[in-house]
Amino acid sequence: MADQYSMFLTTAPPLRRGSTPLPVKHQLRREEAVSDDCDWIPGLEEPTTLPISDTTVPRVESFSQSAASQPAYQSSGGALKIVLLGQNGVGKSSLALSLAGQSDRSLSIDSETQACGEGYECTVTVDDEDSKVIIYDNWKQDLSTMPCDVCILVFSVTDRRSFHRTAQLRLLLRESQPQTPIILVGNKSDLVRSREISSEEAQSSAMMFDCVYLELSASLDHGTNELLEAAVRTARGDCVGPGWMDGDPGAGRRESLTSRAKRFLAGLVPRSYGRDRDRGRYREMSRHRGSKIFRQKSRSCHDLSAL
Ligand SMILES: Nc1nc2c(ncn2[C@@H]2O[C@H](COP(=O)(O)OP(=O)(O)OP(=O)(O)O)[C@@H](O)[C@H]2O)c(=O)[nH]1
């Protein structure tokens, strides 16, 4: 089993961690990649002025429309390209390794996982269909010349800044690759006590992004199978909408804008509203039981309405 997941490092340059200092020429590329007007998104709770060195951004501004118009896998020998984007330290490298099958998983990965350029290549079987997948977690990957089939925006549920960063990355991506499907991922769900972003908040954000939200822990390898399945289905063009959860692709049918808006608003309604409704139901039950006290209160209400 372990042999199946063994990774062969080829002649490709080693993967760079964002936390390590960059050579000057790479710093320049990173600066080019971030346009000033994208560093703050109107509508966010606070203006986020992230230092450029603290972010992970693809070079997307020179992306050509011809590249955008065709699925990436058609220009890459049939391999599905999955790109992980997100702020530094959110766990992209850990997630890439986990997705590429570096730990035990029930999902079938039937060929050796290997480093492919700056990504990891493996073959996965989803819905009885084999797909070659390349997973990239490196900002140096130039999306302008090599578009991806699905983009996974990763944040850490313990870091609100990284959550805001996904909104910015989404805008950057939408500018140049409007067709590329997105999956929003909240990593580090195991760090329950340090959580800054609730599932509900992230879910609402995913609804606005019109994408799926998945929560997982790359360290514990919890939820990563589901992410890989969703990514492969999405990259293949199978419909995986915001309602997709727990491996049920049927639930992913696209909702109308109205019902999505309704669900979004329902998420904003304070919980006390639900409790009030329950109280109302309790009152009804009490009334049926013929509670004396309730009847007295009820009568006083009637009196008030008469006034
Ligand atoms: N508790 C917990 N820690 C995690 C998880 N995923 C990653 N980490 C830790 O978070 C730190 C950063 O993880 P990386 O995978 O290097 O994050 P990255 O986004 O690739 O960071 P850069 O390479 O700097 O861009 C490491 O110490 C990981 O062990 C997780 O699911 N849970």
Side-chain angles (χ1 to χ4, degrees), residues 10 70 222 275:
T10 60
Q70 62 169 338
H222 182 259
R275 281 201 288 274

Side-chain angles (χ1 to χ4, degrees), residues 16-19 56 87-95 137 187-191 216-220:
R16 181 201 59 79
R17 301 189 86 78
S19 40
T56 301
Q87 192 171 295
N88 284 7
V90 294
K92 297 180 300 297
S93 307
S94 313
L95 190 52
D137 86 303
N187 189 30
K188 306 195 186 183
S189 62
D190 55 297
L191 299 176
L216 49 86
S217 167
S219 286
L220 301 182

Side-chain angles (χ1 to χ4, degrees), residues 109-167:
I109 294 183
D110 62 8
S111 74
E112 68 275 14
T113 300
Q114 58 182 349
C116 166
E118 290 176 342
Y120 298 98
E121 187 182 306
C122 61
T123 302
V124 296
T125 307
V126 176
D127 300 334
D128 298 325
E129 192 186 326
D130 292 346
S131 293
K132 202 205 271 184
V133 171
I134 307 177
I135 300 159
Y136 299 94
D137 86 303
N138 200 318
W139 70 271
K140 279 190 286 183
Q141 204 58 58
D142 192 346
L143 295 181
S144 63
T145 54
M146 193 193 66
C148 59
D149 294 296
V150 58
C151 180
I152 300 177
L153 297 181
V154 190
F155 68 92
S156 164
V157 296
T158 63
D159 181 359
R160 180 163 288 277
R161 220 165 53 135
S162 72
F163 180 58
H164 288 170
R165 190 62 191 153
T166 57

